[in-house]
């Protein structure tokens, strides 16, 4: 058995690694915003895109973000890797980030909604939203809303939402969105990832409209794979399992490939409203294709955030 495992190991690793972004597209003169890019797949996405153009690293922990940005600047030689404070668990911080960004940057070509929390003990954001829903969905929903006009002005532009295969287990519990009646932290994560898929679908539908033949501003979602990262830090059991089975998990670099693909691949220039995994289209759960739920979630999200987004 050990000999067989040794022989099979390279093939297993190749299978686990999944797809790789082959695009050499440059982003000269273009601006990218990535949320949560101080660690994991966000950091690897920022590292790759910094070899192509200007990258704004939007993070809650600016000390950690500065360390990551400094490392990326040294490695790529690109000084245009800039850290900005953004706490997705606080709508005041999101609005402050957007206001500052819009006053300083006249263009925005790629917005990667990457940051996320997973398996948090029950807690709420500064605005009283359940933490998974608040950070993973509502925070990015508001950020996209606030930056949308700049993206439109900079078109062709792209919005990339990092979701998960976990969306298959999720459901939108409109009767208990904030988990006050019943709460399971694993399911709460799955619900928020389904919200990412539905948001992407409805956003793409609204952006495309009926008259546009080619989408100038696209929105796509993706599953990065099971990645060995800090995302499971809130669960001792998952952290332990992740260490034991790390051989069967993607590295952050491998996990970043589909995010990079959705951000730069030329063949996706006018592809919108899709869901990708391993740098190719992937199956979306029936709940993730429910347009009525997507429309209702949009409406409820606007209500919770106190915005009008028609």
């Amino acid at each position: 058995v050990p000999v067989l495992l040794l022989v099979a190991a390279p093939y297993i690793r190749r299978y686990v690694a999944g797809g790789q972004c082959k695009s050499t597209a440059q982003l000269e003169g273009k601006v990218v915003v990535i949320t949560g890019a101080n660690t994991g797949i966000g950091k690897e996405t920022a590292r790759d895109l910094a070899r192509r153009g200007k990258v704004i690293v939007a993070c809650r922990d600016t000390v950690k973000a500065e360390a990551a940005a400094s490392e990326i600047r040294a490695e790529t030689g690109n000084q245009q890797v800039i850290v900005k404070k953004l706490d997705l668990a606080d709508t005041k911080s999101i609005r402050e980030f957007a206001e500052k960004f819009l006053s300083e940057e006249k263009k925005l070509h790629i917005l990667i909604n990457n940051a996320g929390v997973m398996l948090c003990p029950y807690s709420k954001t500064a605005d009283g939203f359940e933490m998974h829903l608040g950070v993973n969905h509502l925070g990015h929903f508001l950020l996209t809303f606030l930056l949308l006009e700049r993206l439109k002005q900079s078109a062709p532009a792209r919005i990339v939402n990092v979701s998960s295969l976990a969306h298959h287990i999720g459901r939108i519990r409109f009767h208990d969105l904030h988990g006050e009646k019943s709460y399971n932290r694993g399911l709460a994560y799955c619900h928020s990832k389904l919200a990412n898929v539905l948001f992407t679908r409805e956003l793409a539908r609204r952006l495309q409209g009926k008259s546009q033949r080619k989408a100038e501003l696209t929105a796509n979602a993706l599953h990065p794979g099971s990645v060995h990262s800090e995302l499971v830090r809130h669960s001792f059991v998952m952290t332990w399992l992740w260490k034991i089975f790390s051989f069967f998990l993607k590295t952050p670099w491998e996990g970043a490939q589909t995010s990079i693909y959705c951000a730069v691949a030329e063949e996706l220039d006018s592809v919108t409203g899709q869901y990708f995994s391993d740098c190719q289209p992937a199956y979306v759960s029936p709940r993730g294709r429910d347009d009525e739920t997507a429309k209702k979630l949009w409406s409820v999200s606007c209500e919770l955030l106190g915005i009008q987004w028609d």
Side-chain angles (χ1 to χ4, degrees), residues 137 163-164 166-173 188-200 284-290 293 297:
H137 168 60
S163 180
S164 168
H167 86 269
H168 285 270
I169 303 167
R171 58 179 62 208
I172 307 301
R173 303 168 71 248
Y189 174 74
C190 298
H191 302 334
S192 72
K193 293 289 106 179
L194 173 60
N196 293 154
V197 171
L198 291 169
F199 167 46
T200 305
V284 178
S285 75
R287 286 194 195 106
R289 287 179 268 126
D290 187 330
T293 303
L297 178 64

Side-chain angles (χ1 to χ4, degrees), residues 90-92 94-95 127-129 137-139 141-143 145-146 177-178 297-310:
D90 185 349
T91 58
K92 186 168 176 277
I94 299 167
R95 289 181 180 278
D127 302 270
F129 308 140
H137 168 60
L138 292 169
F141 188 95
L142 179 60
L143 179 66
F145 167 74
L146 295 170
L177 269 182
H178 304 295
L297 178 64
W298 185 283
S299 170
V300 169
S301 299
C302 287
E303 206 175 299
L304 287 168
L305 293 164
I307 60 175
Q308 277 194 304
W309 190 355
D310 299 319

Side-chain angles (χ1 to χ4, degrees), residues 2 36 132 134 139 153 166 204 220 249 257-258 282:
H132 292 92
Q153 292 160 8
N220 290 299
L249 298 171
Q257 293 306 302
T258 308

